[in-house]
Amino acid sequence: MIVGDLIRFNEFLDSKIDTENLDEEFITLRQVELEGISKNSDVKYFPFIALSYAKLMELTVLLAGKYADNCQIRDFGDIMVNSRHIDVCILNTRLIKEEYGITENIPLWFKKKVQGYIGSHYSEDLGRMIVNPTLLFHFVEKGLLLRIVKKERHRRLSDQFRDCIPSDAQLAFPKYVEKITPTGHNPVKTLSCGGGRGESLDVASWLASSTVLNIVKGCLTTDLMNVLREDISDDYLKSINKRVEKAHNSLAYVHMGRKNFANFPYDEKVPVAEWAEINHTLCHFTLDGYAVIQSELDKSLSNPCYKSPYLNRLLYNAPNTQDTNDQKYHVKFQHHLKCPDQSSKMNSLN
């Protein structure tokens, strides 16, 4: 019933789109639904799945343009940069030092330990780990990790953990404790902020020496792009990248001059001579790209021999041999991990 489920998914998606109220949560929920539908998909359905993901990418690009044109910096950052779920893994530094004899760069030692245990499932980017959270609990059992704490998305790490740095991490973060309890005395080195702002805890030093970050779910744009990058054509990929770049440029322009689309047709403070430049810089994205991809999906569903120019030709040449280890959805389309428990048309997009 994969095709029927995909048809119902896309019909529901089409019926619920509201450009005025479109937000990250709506797209994320649809992404989760699509992952569920595609979980046990055979390779012959990959083109339909890829085009469905492309529709979600079109909505994400549309949303990025809307946020950029209206200088909604935090919302723009959330879908373009800010990871949706990051875990802070607190290392048992005392155990590592005493039993393993490690005294330098404990986080790096731990990452190598993780890499050695899970092999190809591990990757690293700018010091962050990308590891299935269920696997990290193996290291909790071994005592190398004291605690895995979800980072509050819109709060700085230093603010969230300022009151949680202990003199003895083993006491403050015991194994299996459900809630972090600040210690009464916290002899942490302090840094003078100057300018009469007093002192602040050197939280960054503790985080750098005693924790590692694990990205459980990346930002929406990156997440979808990781799914699609190898499955869409080069021209379509370029069109997406071009619009994303325009959104960044629009945000920078609006943030600098506060000449956003909401002010149109602009007041007397904005000279008429500048209107053309402003409107050229702003995104003004529409659902045209979304409609084009839906048209491609309709053609693909109605004609099994149709090969969409928006998809990579290799996607249509995938072997039909069923192999649960190599040909299932989680290999090609599942790019982020779950928490425990839980042509002319082408030119129209440029």
Side-chain angles (χ1 to χ4, degrees):
M1 291 298 294
I2 294 296
V3 172
D5 291 336
L6 282 171
I7 291 174
R8 283 188 289 273
F9 166 82
N10 281 280
E11 288 178 345
F12 177 82
L13 179 63
D14 296 345
S15 68
K16 294 298 181 180
I17 291 177
D18 179 355
T19 56
E20 292 300 319
N21 297 307
L22 181 66
D23 59 16
E24 179 191 36
E25 181 182 11
F26 174 83
I27 302 175
T28 296
L29 289 174
R30 304 293 82 75
Q31 178 189 13
V32 172
E33 291 172 3
L34 184 55
E35 287 173 349
I37 293 171
S38 310
K39 189 172 184 179
N40 297 307
S41 172
D42 296 330
V43 293
K44 62 184 178 181
Y45 300 125
F46 281 179
F48 308 145
I49 298 171
L51 288 171
S52 298
Y53 270 106
K55 289 175 65 176
L56 296 183
M57 176 58 80
E58 287 291 334
L59 292 180
T60 303
V61 172
L62 173 69
L63 188 58
K66 172 187 173 183
Y67 288 155
D69 287 353
N70 291 284
C71 204
Q72 295 173 255
I73 297 176
R74 193 177 86 165
D75 292 331
F76 181 88
D78 278 351
I79 65 170
M80 300 297 290
V81 179
N82 193 9
S83 298
R84 289 172 284 180
H85 182 171
I86 296 178
D87 281 339
V88 179
C89 304
I90 302 171
L91 298 167
N92 189 341
T93 55
R94 189 177 71 173
L95 176 68
I96 293 172
K97 289 177 180 178
E98 293 179 355
E99 297 197 14
Y100 292 87
I102 305 299
T103 58
E104 296 182 0
N105 211 323
I106 291 177
L108 180 58
W109 173 86
F110 177 75
K111 290 174 185 176
K112 291 179 179 178
K113 198 86 174 173
V114 172
Q115 186 176 19
Y117 180 74
I118 61 178
S120 62
H121 293 283
Y122 170 90
S123 61
E124 186 178 352
D125 177 26
L126 298 177
R128 299 176 177 90
M129 300 190 306
I130 305 178
V131 178
N132 189 328
T134 59
L135 296 177
L136 290 176
F137 279 89
H138 162 79
F139 295 99
V140 172
E141 294 293 334
K142 291 184 64 175
L144 298 182
L145 283 179
L146 293 169
R147 184 85 178 118
I148 301 173
V149 183
K150 183 177 180 180
K151 177 189 177 295
E152 296 177 26
R153 191 180 190 193
H154 294 129
R155 191 180 181 192
R156 294 170 54 186
L157 278 168
S158 56
D159 291 338
Q160 182 176 349
F161 290 91
R162 175 169 284 109
D163 297 327
C164 300
I165 308 177
S167 56
D168 186 335
Q170 186 70 31
L171 294 176
F173 298 96
K175 218 172 173 185
Y176 308 119
V177 172
E178 290 300 321
K179 184 178 180 181
I180 295 177
T181 304
T183 56
H185 177 57
N186 200 349
V188 181
K189 180 179 70 173
T190 59
L191 299 175
S192 175
C193 295
R197 287 179 286 179
E199 296 177 329
S200 67
L201 298 177
D202 187 11
V203 186
S205 294
W206 176 77
L207 288 167
S209 63
S210 304
T211 69
V212 290
L213 301 182
N214 183 48
I215 298 180
V216 180
K217 186 181 283 289
C219 73
L220 181 59
T221 302
T222 300
D223 215 11
L224 292 173
M225 187 60 77
N226 285 340
V227 174
L228 287 169
R229 183 172 282 108
E230 295 181 358
D231 299 322
I232 58 179
S233 68
D234 290 341
D235 286 342
Y236 183 44
L237 178 61
K238 289 177 182 177
S239 79
I240 293 174
N241 289 334
K242 183 177 179 179
R243 284 175 284 161
V244 168
E245 182 180 6
K246 186 173 181 62
H248 280 281
N249 292 338
S250 173
L251 181 65
Y253 183 87
V254 172
H255 182 58
M256 178 177 62
R258 305 297 300 184
K259 301 170 183 176
N260 56 42
F261 184 62
N263 293 335
F264 184 84
Y266 314 118
D267 53 34
E268 66 279 359
K269 295 180 181 179
V270 181
V272 175
E274 295 185 23
W275 290 13
E277 176 189 350
I278 296 170
N279 289 322
H280 176 73
T281 305
L282 298 183
C283 297
H284 300 303
F285 292 156
T286 68
L287 283 170
D288 289 352
Y290 179 91
V292 169
I293 299 301
Q294 177 58 48
S295 175
E296 290 298 306
L297 182 58
D298 290 339
K299 293 177 183 177
S300 299
L301 290 170
S302 61
N303 181 2
C305 297
Y306 180 74
K307 295 183 179 181
S308 173
Y310 290 82
L311 298 182
N312 190 325
R313 283 289 184 257
L314 295 177
L315 195 64
Y316 292 98
N317 298 326
N320 289 322
T321 302
Q322 295 303 305
D323 185 332
T324 56
N325 292 321
D326 297 324
Q327 297 301 326
K328 291 296 184 180
Y329 154 82
H330 66 272
V331 174
K332 178 170 280 290
F333 290 102
Q334 189 172 353
H335 284 260
H336 59 264
L337 301 158
K338 304 295 183 186
C339 304
D341 303 323
Q342 16 179 257
S343 151
S344 61
K345 289 183 180 178
M346 198 73 66
N347 292 333
S348 70
L349 297 178
N350 293 324

